[in-house]
Amino acid sequence: MSAKVYPNCDSSVWLRSCEEEILQAIDGKVSGTIPEWIKGSLLRNGPGKGHFGPDKFNHLFDKSALLHRFAIADGKVTYQCRFIRTNCFKENSAANRIVVTEFGTKSTRDPCKSIFEKISAIFNGEGMSDNAMISIYPFGDEFFAFTESPIMFNIDVETLETKERINLSQQFGIVHHTSHPHVRQNGSAFNLGTAVTKFGPKYCIIGFPRSENGVKSGKIVASMPVSSMLNPCYMHTFGMTENFFVLVEQPLFMPVTQMSKAIWNDDPLIDTLCWNGDKTTRFHVLSRTTGNLVQTFCAEAFFFFHMINAFEEDSQIIIDICCYENADIINAMLMENIRNMQTNPNYSKSFQSIPQRFVLPLNTEDEKNLCIPEKLTDLACDLPQINYLRHSGKPYRYFYALSSDFACPGMIIKVDVHSKTRTTWSEEHCFPGEPVFLEAPNPTSEDDGVLLSVLLWGSDQENRVGLLILNARNLEEIARCEFITSSPVPRCVHGWFSATKED
């Protein structure tokens, strides 16, 4: 057997398929002491089931959405997992094969679908899969699972049951929205969508106030046309400061003509994405007061999934982003490429994301000069988290992320953006997930709290999962809880901590 190109990596954590839900919570074995003040549920979302019958999914984003819950109370932890009852999951399950086309997987076309149903699907948000396998966020007192189609699912926090399916296209005319809305401390939320209008596509920010009607009481609070009428760009998230929204228009385009044709033919959308590295990446600043475009700035082309934070300081907007040189990571997450990674010495380059800071000077008349970014650390990392509820949209000092360097793929990183220093945690043959910051009661500093992370181990331990608790100040381990499950546990993507409400 030839030597592995990346001996520290184990692709099995992404290749696993959950075959059995755990509906009744199971107990785990705790080592260390879990702080008594941690009470609630760490909710996680991510790719779960890799096949239906003999049909296998081709891309990581295609695997059926699986929710995980680590419930913490009285120094103990329980674990359970459940599939989201999306339309695509129900149809695939009933047929025992893949009958819904996903982002990277072509299904068997439905011969009964009429020409009018196909036309309607292109414009009503139902032309794409509703596989909400990326994130989970609270809107008011409710939790919702997200994908990048305009579909969201209301989730029961305790049972992980799917309560309601909501199509925002019917209310706002959007055909896409990001997987990362911004949630405010008062319970309101904002998200970025792409709408189709008679004048062409436009980007729009939708505000969701905390109310009894929940997401149904939302409204568009800001908008702008796309820079190239028939080529809206792919956006996974956006920035939000005290006074502005920041839309980062990167040169990964979703051409309207090609996407409409793909939906018509039931073809995967991955083949319609178009990267143009000769174009610039644009920062559009919109007023939260008027909803109008204020200024646009440019930078050399880069691709990104996640922003770390954005805030205002000294008449400038500071925006920190995990930047990739290009969009190669999209194809790198094809299942075939993941399986063959150990024979491809160039594979790791697709995952090299460097955190960088861009400074946008407000009220300047010179909009043509490129914004030159500053590196926040030389360590490649992504899935960044901050002390979100206290510092989102405001000046901050620390962020936490997961290494994307294949030399140390199991590393959690803390970066001090003031001193440019970093602290790390890792364990041999152990692969943590996105670190989630949880603030301690009566905190005395920005980093006074803990990090929660899901642990997985290598290919020979696919039924082992754990919850790790680190001291956020120094990344020293406080406690962990490990579980042995009845089915393989795949790697999850994003999550949120739902605190138990005090009586």
Side-chain angles (χ1 to χ4, degrees):
M1 181 180 295
S2 59
K4 292 182 178 181
V5 176
Y6 310 106
N8 295 327
C9 293
D10 192 323
S11 61
S12 72
V13 296
W14 288 119
L15 296 173
R16 295 170 185 169
S17 176
C18 177
E19 303 300 322
E20 181 182 332
E21 298 173 303
I22 300 176
L23 304 183
Q24 298 298 320
I26 61 175
D27 295 319
K29 182 179 180 181
V30 175
S31 58
T33 302
I34 298 175
E36 293 184 0
W37 59 267
I38 304 179
K39 299 178 180 179
S41 299
L42 177 64
L43 305 172
R44 304 292 299 172
N45 192 1
K49 188 175 180 65
H51 68 96
F52 284 90
D55 297 347
K56 296 180 180 180
F57 291 116
N58 294 334
H59 197 279
L60 187 64
F61 291 170
D62 301 344
K63 298 171 71 174
S64 299
L66 181 68
L67 296 175
H68 310 254
R69 178 184 183 232
F70 296 86
I72 309 170
D74 302 322
K76 299 179 181 179
V77 188
T78 61
Y79 171 77
Q80 62 203 97
C81 64
R82 193 172 198 143
F83 291 109
I84 301 176
R85 264 45 181 190
T86 61
N87 283 358
C88 60
F89 179 83
K90 291 187 288 187
E91 291 177 29
N92 290 338
S93 296
N96 196 31
R97 60 190 177 94
I98 298 173
V99 296
V100 177
T101 293
E102 294 288 348
F103 173 70
T105 304
K106 184 176 177 63
S107 69
T108 303
R109 187 182 301 183
D110 182 359
C112 299
K113 189 178 291 184
S114 73
I115 187 172
F116 299 105
E117 288 176 312
K118 289 184 178 182
I119 293 174
S120 175
I122 294 175
F123 297 103
N124 67 7
E126 297 291 350
M128 296 176 284
S129 167
D130 62 354
N131 184 29
M133 52 65 64
I134 299 180
S135 60
I136 184 166
Y137 280 87
F139 279 24
D141 295 327
E142 305 265 62
F143 270 84
F144 294 86
F146 287 80
T147 179
E148 295 183 335
S149 77
I151 312 297
M152 53 198 293
F153 291 86
N154 188 201
I155 302 299
D156 186 300
V157 172
E158 294 187 359
T159 66
L160 301 183
E161 289 181 283
T162 305
K163 295 165 62 176
E164 184 180 9
R165 180 184 189 271
I166 299 171
N167 183 349
L168 297 179
S169 179
Q170 297 171 355
Q171 188 174 355
F172 303 107
I174 60 173
V175 295
H176 162 274
H177 71 166
T178 82
S179 301
H180 295 288
H182 279 287
V183 178
R184 314 304 286 175
Q185 283 188 320
N186 62 7
S188 64
F190 297 85
N191 204 359
L192 166 64
T194 302
V196 176
T197 75
K198 63 182 179 180
F199 303 108
K202 70 175 182 179
Y203 305 124
C204 55
I205 302 291
I206 304 170
F208 299 92
R210 183 168 191 160
S211 68
E212 293 183 0
N213 293 325
V215 298
K216 297 173 184 176
S217 60
K219 65 178 182 179
I220 294 177
V221 297
S223 65
M224 63 166 288
V226 304
S227 297
S228 176
M229 179 175 289
L230 295 179
N231 294 285
C233 86
Y234 169 82
M235 296 190 200
H236 190 72
T237 187
F238 66 105
M240 183 173 170
T241 70
E242 290 293 301
N243 298 293
F244 302 101
F245 300 112
V246 183
L247 280 56
V248 183
E249 198 175 28
Q250 57 190 341
L252 180 63
F253 300 113
M254 303 185 296
V256 172
T257 303
Q258 286 91 320
M259 291 195 70
S260 299
K261 183 178 179 180
I263 294 172
W264 179 269
N265 292 326
D266 284 328
D267 289 333
L269 294 181
I270 189 173
D271 296 329
T272 69
L273 295 178
C274 177
W275 171 259
N276 189 339
D278 294 331
K279 299 288 186 179
T280 59
T281 293
R282 301 184 180 188
F283 297 82
H284 302 293
V285 179
L286 282 69
S287 168
R288 287 184 58 186
T289 302
T290 67
N292 297 327
L293 178 66
V294 176
Q295 285 180 267
T296 294
F297 303 86
C298 294
E300 290 186 359
F302 66 86
F303 173 76
F304 79 105
F305 282 120
H306 304 111
M307 293 184 185
I308 303 168
N309 198 14
F311 59 93
E312 299 165 43
E313 188 173 73
D314 299 328
S315 298
Q316 299 173 327
I317 292 178
I318 313 297
I319 182 165
D320 297 342
I321 307 177
C322 292
C323 301
Y324 298 82
E325 287 187 5
N326 53 49
D328 287 353
I329 187 175
I330 300 290
N331 284 325
M333 288 188 284
L334 285 164
M335 302 309 293
E336 180 180 7
N337 291 333
I338 296 175
R339 282 191 290 268
N340 296 328
M341 60 174 285
Q342 293 293 355
T343 62
N344 182 359
N346 296 317
Y347 185 75
S348 64
K349 295 179 181 178
S350 300
F351 292 85
Q352 296 297 301
S353 170
I354 301 299
Q356 303 200 70
R357 169 163 291 186
F358 297 84
V359 178
L360 315 181
L362 297 174
N363 304 315
T364 178
E365 296 181 359
D366 188 357
E367 299 177 358
K368 295 183 180 180
N369 287 339
L370 292 178
C371 296
I372 307 300
E374 171 195 8
K375 285 185 181 181
L376 296 176
T377 179
D378 288 327
L379 291 177
C381 58
D382 205 338
L383 302 178
Q385 289 276 323
I386 62 171
N387 184 336
Y388 183 83
L389 292 179
R390 192 176 294 273
H391 287 275
S392 175
K394 301 175 182 178
Y396 78 111
R397 181 166 183 171
Y398 305 106
F399 76 85
Y400 314 88
L402 195 64
S403 170
S404 59
D405 187 334
F406 279 35
C408 47
M411 181 181 290
I412 293 175
I413 300 167
K414 175 186 180 180
V415 175
D416 183 332
V417 300
H418 290 180
S419 65
K420 303 296 191 299
T421 57
R422 72 274 183 113
T423 308
T424 64
W425 177 94
S426 63
E427 181 178 300
E428 191 173 10
H429 306 306
C430 182
F431 302 95
E434 169 193 59
V436 175
F437 179 84
L438 185 60
E439 188 176 70
N442 306 311
T444 58
S445 63
E446 180 184 328
D447 58 349
D448 188 359
V450 299
L451 296 182
L452 305 180
S453 181
V454 177
L455 297 179
L456 296 179
W457 286 264
S459 56
D460 58 340
Q461 302 181 76
E462 61 181 13
N463 292 58
R464 180 185 178 191
V465 63
L467 176 68
L468 175 69
I469 304 176
L470 300 178
N471 184 328
R473 284 179 167 167
N474 53 24
L475 299 197
E476 292 182 357
E477 181 172 335
I478 296 174
R480 69 171 65 187
C481 185
E482 296 185 16
F483 306 82
I484 300 300
T485 62
S486 55
S487 180
V489 182
R491 192 164 190 168
C492 44
V493 184
H494 295 295
W496 193 274
F497 185 81
S498 172
T500 300
K501 294 182 179 179
E502 300 292 338
D503 296 332

